[in-house]
Amino acid sequence: MAVLSYIQAVTEALKEEMKRDDKVFILGEDVGPKGGVFRATDGLYEEFGEERVLDTPLAESAIAGVGIGAAMYGMRPVAEMQFADFIMPAVNQIISEAAKTRYRSNNDWNCPITIRAPYGGGVHGALYHSQSIEAMFANVPGLKIVMPSTPYDVKGLLKASIRDEDPVLFLEHKKAYRLVKGEVPDEEYTLPIGKADVKKEGNDVTVISYGLCLHLALQAAEKLEKEGFSVHVLDLRTVYPLDKEAIEEAASKTGKVLLITEDNKEGSVMGEVAAIIAERCLFDLDAPVQRLAGPDVPAMPYAPPLEKEFMIDLDTIESAIRDLAEF
Amino acid sequence: MAVKHEQLGLSDEDVLLMYEKMLLARKIDERLWLLNRAGKIPFVVSCQGQEAAQVGAAMALDTEIDYVLPYYRDVGIVLSFGMTCEELMLFSFARAGDPNSGGRQMPGHFGQKKNRIVTSSSPVTTQVPHAVGIALAAKMEKKDFVTLVTFGEGSSNQGDFHEGLNFAGVHNLPVIFLCENNQYAISVPLDKQLACERVSDRAAGYGMPGITVDGNDPLAVYEAVKQAADRARDGEGPSLIETTFYRFTPHSSDDDDSTYRSKEEVEEAKKNDPLRTFASYLKDAQILTEENENAMNKKITEVIDEATDAAEQAPYADPSSIYKYVYAEKDGDN
C-alpha cells in the first residue's frame, strides 16, 4: 500500500488507464507540457505524447463536444474542464448530447466520455473558482456524477468512469487535492459507480455527505466518539443516480440524519437525499432530517472572512450532530 | 455542352444515379407533406431545394468508410449513405422499426451507426464539434476516412461552429464543413444573420480554405467536396464549403412562411429548381430520355407507395420501452 494524495490518485488512475487501453486520451486546456493548472496530468505528456495528451484551444464547448464525437466513434476521451465553474459553455454538449446519445438513438450509439472538473472552495478562489456545480447536472438521466472523497475512491472510481460505457462527470474537490492523503493498494482495482460507502459505523446519528465535507464529518465523528456519541457516516460517492438503498439503510439505522454539502442549500442534491429518506423510511426517523450546506448566496466571496463564512466548519458540524443525538 | 460530369470523372450512369437520388429525396419529401396534411404524421421538415447539394456532396465521398453528421434537412445525404425509403417512412411515422431512434425523436434527427450516420439532436450546430472529434479519432487511429458535417447558414453563428472550426484548423483534421445556405434561418433572412458577405469568408479565421459554390448544381458541389475530401485524406486538413440555394418550403410543417416572404420570391427561386435544371442538363446530354425518366418516376412512386404502406402498418414501440437505454444495460450493450 502506498500513501497517495488525492491528486496523485487522479494522475495514477489516468496513467494506468492510458497504459491499459490506447483508446484512452486526455484533452483540455494546459493539460500538455504544463501538466494541468493543478498538475493532475503531470508527466503524462512526456509519457504518452502530444496526440494522447492534447492541449486544446480555450473553448469549453469544443473540449466537451470534440470529446463526445471521439467517444461516439469509439475512443475513450477524458476531457478536463480547468475549473468546474467554467463548464457552463459546455452544458449544451453535456446535457443535450452526451447524456442523451444512447437514449435518442435507441441504443444504436453511445458516448463513453469522462469529463473531469475541479470544484469546491476554501482555496481563495472567489466566486468563479469555488463553486459546487453538481446540482445543475443532477437531474439529467443518462449522465452519472461521481464525487469521491478519498484517494482510494478517486483512483478506483476514475478508472471505472473511464471504462464506463456512458458519460461520467467526475468532480474532484480542489482543496482535497493536496490536503487529503490516503492508502491506495498497489494492485489494480476499480470501484462501482452508483454505490455509496459507509466510511464509519455508528449507532446514534447518521451523517450523509460527499467530497471534502465528508472529511469534516469524520473528524467531528471521531471527536464526538470520545464524548460517547456513536456516529454513522455514509459517503455518497456518486451523487447521480443516488444509491437509494444505501441511503435508506443508513438513515434507518440511527433514525437521526444530518446531510452535509458544500453546495448552496436550496436545490442541492441533499434535498433529493432527504426526499428519498422521507419516501422510504419516514417512520424509522426519531428526529427531523437536518441539512448543513452553503448559504443561498450566488457563490463564495474572495476576502478570507467572507469565504470562511460560506464554508461549513468543524464546530458547526459537531454541534449539529450533538443536537441531533440529544434530540 | 454536357461534358462537365466527364471532366469530373463521372460516367453517364453516375450522373443518372445522382439525379435519381435527388428525385427520390424530393418525392419522399412531397409525400411526407401529403401525409402530414392528411393527419397521418405529426411533423415534416423539408429538403426541397437542397437535394442537389446533398446528393452531390454525398456522392463525392466514400460511403463505405466515411462518416457523416447530417442536419435535419439532409434526406439526400442519408439516402446516399444507405438509409432506405422505408426506414425514412418508419421515422416519419415514429414506428418501433425506425433505425434512427425507434420512434423516440422527431423526423429529421438522423442517425444510423451501420451506415456511419451519426446521431443528432435539435439544438443546432452541436454536431460540428462531434465531427471534429471523429476526425480527431481518424487522425489518432491513422484511419483513411473523412468526416462530413452539414449545417444551415444560421448555424454558422453558433459558438459550436466557431469552436469546432478553430479546433479542426489548429489540429489539421480530416473534416469537411458543409454549409447548406438556404437563405433563411426559419424566418430571418441572410442579411440579418451575417455581417460578412458569405459564410465561407469565415474560413479564413480558422486557417482553412473556404469556398462558396452553386448549390443548385450537383456537379459543382461534387467537385468542391471531392477536392476537400482529397485534401483531407492527404493530410492537408479541413475545408469549409458553402452551398447556396433557396428553401422552397416553409421551415417545417408548423411554419407559415407567408408572414416573412412573398409568394413571388418563392416562385422566382423555383425557376432555379435543381431538379429541373439538372434534368435539362441530362436531357441535353441525352442521358435522361423520355423512356428512362418514365421508368424512374414509376419506380420511385412504387418504392414510396410500398414504404408508406409498410410504415403505416408497422407497430409503435411498446410504451414500457421508454425506460430502456438510459444507460448501458447489463447484457453487454456496446
Side-chain angles (χ1 to χ4, degrees):
Chain A
M1 286 257 197
V3 172
L4 297 184
S5 67
Y6 189 102
I7 197 166
Q8 283 171 329
V10 172
T11 315
E12 286 281 299
L14 291 171
K15 189 193 287 190
E16 286 183 18
E17 289 306 294
M18 291 180 79
K19 271 189 191 159
R20 185 187 61 83
D21 181 356
D22 60 16
K23 293 207 165 1
V24 178
F25 73 99
I26 292 168
L27 73 167
E29 295 154 8
D30 306 298
V31 297
K34 181 173 171 62
V37 294
F38 290 100
R39 311 203 59 75
T41 54
D42 193 24
L44 301 181
Y45 177 88
E46 290 73 17
E47 185 165 350
F48 299 102
E50 192 173 12
E51 278 217 334
R52 293 183 66 199
V53 188
L54 199 72
D55 266 334
T56 66
L58 203 168
E60 285 78 10
S61 187
I63 294 170
V66 170
I68 288 165
M72 291 196 292
Y73 172 79
M75 305 300 285
R76 293 275 160 170
V78 183
E80 179 177 304
M81 296 287 146
Q82 196 157 77
F83 285 83
D85 312 64
F86 306 156
I87 204 169
M88 299 310 159
V91 167
N92 193 30
Q93 284 291 344
I94 296 168
I95 292 182
S96 302
E97 303 301 320
K100 293 177 179 64
T101 298
R102 182 186 296 281
Y103 192 78
R104 76 184 186 210
S105 67
N106 204 26
N107 212 32
D108 195 24
W109 294 86
N110 69 317
C111 185
I113 187 174
T114 303
I115 299 172
R116 296 180 39 248
Y119 76 99
V123 296
H124 313 303
L127 278 77
Y128 300 104
H129 299 77
S130 301
Q131 292 174 77
S132 297
I133 57 151
E134 61 273 23
M136 279 182 262
F137 294 92
N139 185 29
V140 183
L143 195 62
K144 299 175 184 180
I145 309 174
V146 175
M147 301 183 76
S149 64
T150 66
Y152 174 78
D153 288 348
V154 164
K155 189 171 175 193
L157 285 166
L158 182 51
K159 285 165 70 86
S161 298
I162 293 168
R163 296 181 197 188
D164 200 274
E165 296 295 344
D166 292 298
V168 178
L169 191 53
F170 193 89
L171 301 176
E172 302 158 5
H173 199 294
K174 67 176 81 69
K175 191 175 182 182
Y177 272 155
R178 289 185 167 76
L179 184 69
V180 176
K181 296 185 173 63
E183 289 195 331
V184 174
D186 298 323
E187 59 274 14
E188 160 87 22
Y189 71 100
T190 62
L191 295 170
I193 295 170
K195 292 287 173 207
D197 184 45
V198 176
K199 286 288 194 281
K200 185 186 168 301
E201 293 282 353
N203 299 311
D204 298 331
V205 174
T206 295
V207 178
I208 302 178
S209 188
Y210 57 93
L212 189 66
C213 289
L214 193 278
H215 294 281
L216 295 175
L218 285 172
Q219 286 168 33
E222 211 167 294
K223 218 172 150 195
L224 289 164
E225 203 91 317
K226 289 170 193 148
E227 298 175 24
F229 299 112
S230 165
V231 184
H232 190 78
V233 180
L234 183 73
D235 184 355
L236 290 173
R237 297 201 294 194
T238 298
V239 301
Y240 193 86
L242 286 164
D243 186 347
K244 298 167 188 69
E245 289 72 28
I247 291 167
E248 179 184 353
E249 197 182 320
S252 300
K253 188 171 183 205
T254 67
K256 293 177 173 181
V257 186
L258 174 65
L259 309 176
I260 312 176
T261 176
E262 189 182 309
D263 198 0
N264 313 100
K265 189 171 185 178
E266 187 167 338
S268 78
V269 295
M270 285 313 186
E272 186 63 27
V273 175
I276 289 166
I277 293 169
E279 274 180 350
R280 292 180 166 234
C281 55
L282 181 70
F283 299 114
D284 293 339
L285 297 184
D286 299 319
V289 171
Q290 299 295 309
R291 284 184 291 166
L292 280 181
D296 290 318
V297 301
M300 72 182 73
Y302 183 54
L306 307 187
E307 183 184 72
K308 189 167 175 292
E309 178 66 19
F310 189 108
M311 297 289 285
I312 297 162
D313 61 23
L314 195 54
D315 291 346
T316 313
I317 294 175
E318 208 184 300
S319 91
I321 296 174
R322 193 179 285 115
D323 287 351
L324 263 181
E326 290 168 350
F327 184 85
Chain B
M1 71 156 268
V3 292
K4 187 170 178 193
H5 68 276
E6 288 165 10
Q7 287 167 352
L8 295 172
L10 291 168
S11 68
D12 291 356
E13 289 72 29
D14 291 334
V15 283
L16 202 58
L17 185 63
M18 196 178 249
Y19 177 72
E20 188 177 342
K21 284 190 173 139
M22 288 166 55
L23 190 62
L24 178 60
R26 172 70 57 91
K27 294 291 178 193
I28 289 173
D29 204 278
E30 288 174 351
R31 177 65 59 88
L32 293 177
W33 280 88
L34 289 175
L35 291 166
N36 174 261
R37 294 317 190 215
K40 291 193 173 187
I41 61 172
F43 184 75
V44 186
V45 65
S46 259
C47 65
Q48 292 187 39
Q50 311 193 186
E51 300 91 343
Q54 294 169 1
V55 174
M59 285 187 71
L61 297 173
D62 183 341
T63 57
E64 297 299 313
I65 61 166
D66 291 341
Y67 277 68
V68 66
L69 294 91
Y71 90 123
Y72 51 85
R73 298 195 189 279
D74 281 328
V75 176
I77 286 189
V78 299
L79 282 173
S80 304
F81 265 75
M83 198 175 291
T84 67
C85 178
E86 185 172 329
E87 288 170 337
L88 284 166
M89 283 296 173
L90 287 163
F91 197 6
S92 283
F93 277 95
R95 297 308 205 246
D98 153 37
N100 301 277
S101 74
R104 291 179 171 192
Q105 293 226 68
M106 292 172 91
H109 297 62
F110 302 111
Q112 190 177 33
K113 197 169 190 178
K114 71 168 184 178
N115 286 319
R116 295 163 320 287
I117 300 166
V118 182
T119 175
S120 53
S121 66
S122 305
V124 298
T125 334
T126 51
Q127 73 275 21
V128 168
H130 302 171
V132 178
I134 293 169
L136 177 66
K139 188 180 174 190
M140 291 174 73
E141 300 273 284
K142 301 186 170 46
K143 295 279 166 63
D144 197 30
F145 68 83
V146 306
T147 301
L148 175 88
V149 58
T150 69
F151 46 87
E153 79 287 354
S155 284
S156 78
N157 299 312
Q158 285 279 358
D160 273 346
F161 168 87
H162 297 274
E163 292 193 19
L165 263 71
N166 187 53
F167 196 115
V170 167
H171 289 283
N172 202 42
L173 300 176
V175 54
I176 303 165
F177 302 100
L178 187 87
C179 177
E180 298 188 26
N181 179 352
N182 65 15
Q183 315 301 319
Y184 283 93
I186 302 191
S187 67
V188 182
L190 197 58
D191 64 355
K192 294 281 196 297
Q193 290 277 342
L194 302 183
C196 54
E197 193 185 343
R198 300 169 186 277
V199 172
S200 60
D201 293 341
R202 294 178 161 177
Y206 307 115
M208 68 182 77
I211 58 163
T212 299
V213 296
D214 177 5
N216 287 319
D217 178 359
L219 298 177
V221 177
Y222 174 91
E223 183 177 18
V225 174
K226 190 87 176 59
Q227 281 174 3
D230 289 346
R231 275 175 39 83
R233 274 187 243 279
D234 290 344
E236 291 172 45
S239 308
L240 172 62
I241 300 166
E242 175 188 18
T243 58
T244 58
F245 38 70
Y246 191 88
R247 192 190 78 207
F248 293 157
T249 62
H251 166 67
S252 74
S253 52
D254 296 331
D255 177 36
D256 173 8
D257 62 346
S258 70
T259 58
Y260 54 84
R261 63 183 187 182
S262 68
K263 263 201 167 69
E264 292 71 34
E265 182 186 305
V266 179
E267 288 314 311
E268 184 63 27
K270 282 187 176 173
K271 288 181 184 162
N272 295 317
D273 184 337
L275 266 305
R276 192 187 304 178
T277 53
F278 197 47
S280 88
Y281 170 90
L282 295 175
K283 281 175 183 165
D284 286 350
Q286 293 169 343
I287 296 169
L288 189 66
T289 62
E290 201 180 324
E291 194 186 351
N292 63 18
E293 189 176 18
N294 287 340
M296 193 185 284
N297 277 312
K298 187 163 175 281
K299 181 175 139 197
I300 286 173
T301 305
E302 278 171 17
V303 165
I304 295 174
D305 285 349
E306 281 169 22
T308 307
D309 289 347
E312 196 171 2
Q313 285 159 28
Y316 285 117
D318 190 284
S320 68
S321 72
I322 75 158
Y323 305 101
K324 286 172 77 82
Y325 311 134
V326 179
Y327 300 104
E329 298 188 358
K330 297 280 181 283
D331 50 10
D333 289 331
N334 26 54

